[in-house]
Amino acid sequence: SPGVRTAPVTASAAVIAQRLRQRGRETEAEIVARLQRAITADLSGDDVALCSNDGPLPDGVARFLQLLR
């Protein structure tokens, strides 16, 4: 659709794994499987603007809001 963009919020595999371990809801095998699924996702295209969320939450929110402008 004209004027529509996708803005996936991403983080590095190391950061995602660390956050999942801290939550304690998934086994190590489930974390590895989840990270493997994320690797296979195609997040590219002219209408895609990636938003990195590797740092503190306020920084990620600021980057996402910048994409909305």
Side-chain angles (χ1 to χ4, degrees):
S1 298
V4 175
R5 290 179 36 171
T6 302
V9 178
T10 63
S12 68
V15 169
I16 293 170
Q18 176 187 22
R19 290 174 181 171
L20 293 173
R21 286 184 190 104
Q22 288 174 340
R23 291 178 189 161
R25 295 189 299 239
E26 297 176 79
T27 67
E28 190 64 26
E30 291 170 328
I31 291 171
V32 169
R34 184 170 172 169
L35 292 173
Q36 286 298 320
R37 286 192 305 272
I39 290 170
T40 62
D42 180 14
L43 302 176
S44 62
D46 294 337
D47 61 346
V48 176
L50 294 177
C51 181
S52 175
N53 187 28
D54 276 343
L57 181 60
D59 294 349
V61 170
R63 280 189 291 276
F64 185 75
L65 292 175
Q66 184 64 35
L67 289 173
L68 295 177
R69 294 186 180 110

